[in-house]
Amino acid sequence: MTVKKYNRAVQLCFLWLVVSTVLLQSSDGHSWKKHPLPKPCRNLVLYFHDVIYNGLNADNATSTLVGAPQGANLTLLSGKDNHFGDLAVFDDPITLDNNFHSPPVGRAQGFYFYDMKNTFSSWLGFTFVLNSTDYKGTITFSGADPILTKYRDISVVGGTGDFLMARGIATISTDAYEGDVYFRLCVNITLYECY
Amino acid sequence: MTVKKYNRAVQLCFLWLVVSTVLLQSSDGHSWKKHPLPKPCRNLVLYFHDVIYNGLNADNATSTLVGAPQGANLTLLSGKDNHFGDLAVFDDPITLDNNFHSPPVGRAQGFYFYDMKNTFSSWLGFTFVLNSTDYKGTITFSGADPILTKYRDISVVGGTGDFLMARGIATISTDAYEGDVYFRLCVNITLYECY
Amino acid sequence: MTVKKYNRAVQLCFLWLVVSTVLLQSSDGHSWKKHPLPKPCRNLVLYFHDVIYNGLNADNATSTLVGAPQGANLTLLSGKDNHFGDLAVFDDPITLDNNFHSPPVGRAQGFYFYDMKNTFSSWLGFTFVLNSTDYKGTITFSGADPILTKYRDISVVGGTGDFLMARGIATISTDAYEGDVYFRLCVNITLYECY
């Protein structure tokens, strides 16, 4: 009886040592702790199509310049400094494939501006407003978009409806680029938190 | 004694089967997993008031156009295309009720632009800067705002102070609209993560 | 024996009461529940340098006005109303210390606008694009920035790469301010969720 009690006391003491060691380590402010990445809970691949106003296409344009640096104008993208400072607002159709004429499943609404002088680069803030049989809700994105990189990631910063409080990233690739009038982006969205 | 041990072995084996089946299912990348929606941890209903500059109200205006498409001007909202491309910056008072003259509990600061040609619709990026006895901190919102819909949701994308890392949505409704000079929005904020 | 069993039954019953009381309280929608704040999982202190175009410094400028209210121009910050409505796009170098000539570890890309008439205040939306031996990835920020306050917090709203789905805040302080041509911000970033 006494030996058993002694054994149990030793076991408890050892357990306490292990637990307190673990706790001390994790409470050490200097050993930054990473969470394991959760598995993706949703993946969507969508395309959107931007037709920028150039003075001649008022009927078809889905985006327009609304800001530009001193000396530039609002009709055409600035000819110098890789469009640095040109600011556009857009309302672009979203499709399931890369065909501009496919039935849209929603609208990409937001703004972008060109943000580098020495290369083509932009910054995006926009929302996918989805309203199809498959998805009803919005996903909002924001971040830097280094256009000339084949695949670039931007952040999912929020969502509503089917995408309530969505978190994750979108990998963007330029699927087509026709002068300064049309571009098509493929957006591969990976969400890690779904409700 | 032997029978008991055999029974326990069978129980353990069965338990292992159940657990591994559950684990396998949840580790299958194709069966997207949703989290249960947590209970809201905070709800705020606030109003903010926007008086847009129209060339005559410089003293009272709380917002002003700072961008517009080619052909439009910065004094008045564009007469065509449902203000498409008009971009405004604002610093609007926030009140607890729908009275413009109630003591403000903070400021709504940010920008909006009109983003559709064929209907009234906008896109918002703004922060509630709250500084009252009840709340000290900020909540930042962003997303599409289809103005003509009675209730529309936008995303809470961040917060500081009392709203550190806030996550959730805000349901916006237009509480008043007076020509192109004044509007009042009711913002019903539901947060699902509070610290 | 019977007394012992009775005692245990009483203990279990009491335990059940305590547990169910706790559960009931936390499931009561009206008693908002806060999570305990997790420990920070990463801290970065970085500086970025903004040289705004003023008509004379086209070669050195890292930012430029792209929007302004009616009556103002895009060459110089507006002289009235504390620059209210002036909108700038920037591509600023990030350094590890406060020396403009230190080797940059990335670029701060985004926009800011002045958003108050009666004091200096701004609103920021920008991304740290980091590409050094220590960090590869982006952090996106957004929120109100009351410039004249010594320390002000804005929200981390997303991240990619090493900062995938970053959440947290950044405490900003103005480290230098030289007229309307140059400012340097110290950004102390605290992340509470790291993957």
Side-chain angles (χ1 to χ4, degrees):
Chain A
M1 239 9 188
T2 323
V3 174
K4 272 190 185 172
K5 275 184 183 166
Y6 175 75
N7 282 346
R8 180 160 298 176
V10 168
Q11 282 170 11
L12 283 174
C13 183
F14 181 71
L15 186 69
W16 181 83
L17 272 171
V18 171
V19 168
S20 58
T21 308
V22 168
L23 287 177
L24 272 173
Q25 277 193 326
S26 67
S27 71
D28 175 5
H30 292 284
S31 59
W32 305 121
K33 240 176 57 181
K34 277 186 162 195
H35 296 282
L37 184 64
K39 295 184 72 67
C41 54
R42 189 167 276 172
N43 181 254
L44 289 88
V45 180
L46 297 167
Y47 294 80
F48 74 95
H49 307 260
D50 192 79
V51 180
I52 193 160
Y53 175 69
N54 66 357
L56 302 168
N57 57 355
D59 287 349
N60 298 324
T62 63
S63 73
T64 188
L65 290 178
V66 304
Q70 186 258 337
N73 66 62
L74 297 172
T75 308
L76 286 170
L77 284 166
S78 167
K80 62 167 191 168
D81 284 347
N82 295 289
H83 311 333
F84 181 67
D86 276 344
L87 167 66
V89 161
F90 62 87
D91 169 37
D92 293 348
I94 301 171
T95 57
L96 293 175
D97 60 18
N98 65 1
N99 189 338
F100 181 72
H101 299 290
S102 293
V105 295
R107 309 295 294 186
Q109 301 180 329
F111 68 106
Y112 59 81
F113 51 84
Y114 290 87
D115 67 355
M116 289 187 85
K117 283 176 168 181
N118 56 351
T119 186
F120 282 109
S121 183
S122 71
W123 198 94
L124 301 166
F126 67 101
T127 301
F128 271 12
V129 182
L130 296 167
N131 192 7
S132 68
T133 46
D134 287 333
Y135 302 113
K136 290 203 195 318
T138 71
I139 308 173
T140 295
F141 309 84
S142 115
D145 176 22
I147 298 172
L148 299 184
T149 304
K150 192 163 172 59
Y151 298 103
R152 56 268 186 192
D153 289 344
I154 63 166
S155 298
V156 170
V157 298
T160 66
D162 286 348
F163 308 99
L164 182 62
M165 294 192 291
R167 295 189 68 206
I169 53 167
T171 302
I172 292 184
S173 53
T174 304
D175 197 57
Y177 192 83
E178 294 172 11
D180 292 339
V181 177
Y182 174 73
F183 66 78
R184 180 172 66 236
L185 299 184
C186 176
V187 184
N188 191 326
I189 306 164
T190 305
L191 303 183
Y192 292 93
E193 233 168 82
C194 308
Y195 295 102
Chain B
M1 233 17 183
T2 324
V3 174
K4 270 190 185 172
K5 276 185 184 166
Y6 175 76
N7 281 347
R8 182 160 296 176
V10 168
Q11 282 170 13
L12 283 173
C13 182
F14 181 72
L15 186 67
W16 181 83
L17 272 172
V18 170
V19 169
S20 59
T21 309
V22 169
L23 287 177
L24 272 173
Q25 277 193 326
S26 67
S27 70
D28 174 4
H30 292 285
S31 60
W32 305 121
K33 238 177 60 181
K34 279 187 160 194
H35 295 281
L37 184 63
K39 295 184 73 70
C41 53
R42 190 169 274 170
N43 180 255
L44 290 86
V45 179
L46 297 166
Y47 294 80
F48 74 95
H49 308 259
D50 193 79
V51 180
I52 194 161
Y53 176 69
N54 67 356
L56 302 168
N57 57 354
D59 288 348
N60 298 325
T62 63
S63 74
T64 187
L65 289 178
V66 303
Q70 185 258 336
N73 66 62
L74 296 173
T75 308
L76 285 171
L77 284 166
S78 166
K80 62 168 190 166
D81 285 345
N82 295 290
H83 313 330
F84 179 67
D86 277 344
L87 167 66
V89 160
F90 61 87
D91 169 37
D92 293 347
I94 301 171
T95 56
L96 294 175
D97 59 18
N98 66 1
N99 188 339
F100 181 72
H101 299 290
S102 294
V105 294
R107 309 295 294 186
Q109 300 179 331
F111 67 106
Y112 58 81
F113 51 84
Y114 290 88
D115 67 355
M116 290 188 83
K117 282 175 167 182
N118 57 350
T119 185
F120 282 109
S121 183
S122 70
W123 199 94
L124 300 166
F126 66 100
T127 300
F128 271 13
V129 181
L130 296 168
N131 191 8
S132 69
T133 46
D134 287 333
Y135 302 113
K136 290 203 196 316
T138 70
I139 308 172
T140 294
F141 309 85
S142 117
D145 176 23
I147 299 172
L148 299 183
T149 305
K150 191 161 173 61
Y151 298 103
R152 56 268 187 192
D153 289 344
I154 64 166
S155 298
V156 171
V157 298
T160 67
D162 286 349
F163 308 100
L164 182 62
M165 295 192 290
R167 295 189 67 207
I169 53 167
T171 302
I172 292 184
S173 53
T174 304
D175 197 56
Y177 192 84
E178 294 172 12
D180 293 337
V181 177
Y182 174 72
F183 66 77
R184 180 173 63 236
L185 299 184
C186 176
V187 184
N188 191 325
I189 306 164
T190 305
L191 302 182
Y192 291 93
E193 234 168 83
C194 308
Y195 296 102
Chain C
M1 236 18 182
T2 324
V3 174
K4 274 190 185 172
K5 275 184 183 166
Y6 175 76
N7 281 348
R8 182 160 296 176
V10 168
Q11 281 169 12
L12 283 174
C13 182
F14 181 71
L15 186 70
W16 181 83
L17 271 172
V18 170
V19 169
S20 59
T21 308
V22 168
L23 288 176
L24 272 173
Q25 276 192 327
S26 67
S27 68
D28 173 5
H30 291 285
S31 60
W32 305 120
K33 236 178 60 182
K34 278 186 160 193
H35 295 282
L37 184 63
K39 296 184 71 66
C41 52
R42 190 168 273 173
N43 181 255
L44 289 87
V45 180
L46 297 166
Y47 294 80
F48 73 96
H49 308 260
D50 192 79
V51 180
I52 193 160
Y53 176 68
N54 66 357
L56 302 168
N57 57 355
D59 287 348
N60 299 323
T62 63
S63 74
T64 187
L65 289 178
V66 304
Q70 185 259 336
N73 66 63
L74 296 173
T75 308
L76 286 170
L77 285 166
S78 166
K80 64 167 191 168
D81 285 346
N82 296 288
H83 313 330
F84 180 68
D86 277 345
L87 167 65
V89 161
F90 62 88
D91 170 36
D92 292 348
I94 301 171
T95 57
L96 294 175
D97 60 18
N98 66 1
N99 188 338
F100 182 71
H101 298 291
S102 294
V105 295
R107 308 295 295 185
Q109 300 180 329
F111 67 106
Y112 59 82
F113 50 84
Y114 290 87
D115 67 355
M116 289 186 84
K117 283 176 167 180
N118 57 351
T119 186
F120 281 109
S121 183
S122 70
W123 198 94
L124 301 166
F126 67 101
T127 300
F128 272 12
V129 182
L130 296 167
N131 192 7
S132 69
T133 46
D134 287 333
Y135 303 113
K136 289 203 196 316
T138 70
I139 309 173
T140 295
F141 309 85
S142 118
D145 175 22
I147 299 172
L148 300 184
T149 304
K150 190 162 173 59
Y151 297 104
R152 54 269 186 193
D153 289 343
I154 64 166
S155 297
V156 170
V157 298
T160 66
D162 286 349
F163 309 99
L164 182 62
M165 294 192 292
R167 295 189 68 206
I169 54 167
T171 302
I172 292 184
S173 53
T174 304
D175 196 56
Y177 192 84
E178 294 171 11
D180 292 338
V181 176
Y182 175 73
F183 66 77
R184 181 172 65 235
L185 299 185
C186 176
V187 184
N188 191 326
I189 306 164
T190 304
L191 303 183
Y192 292 93
E193 233 166 84
C194 308
Y195 296 102

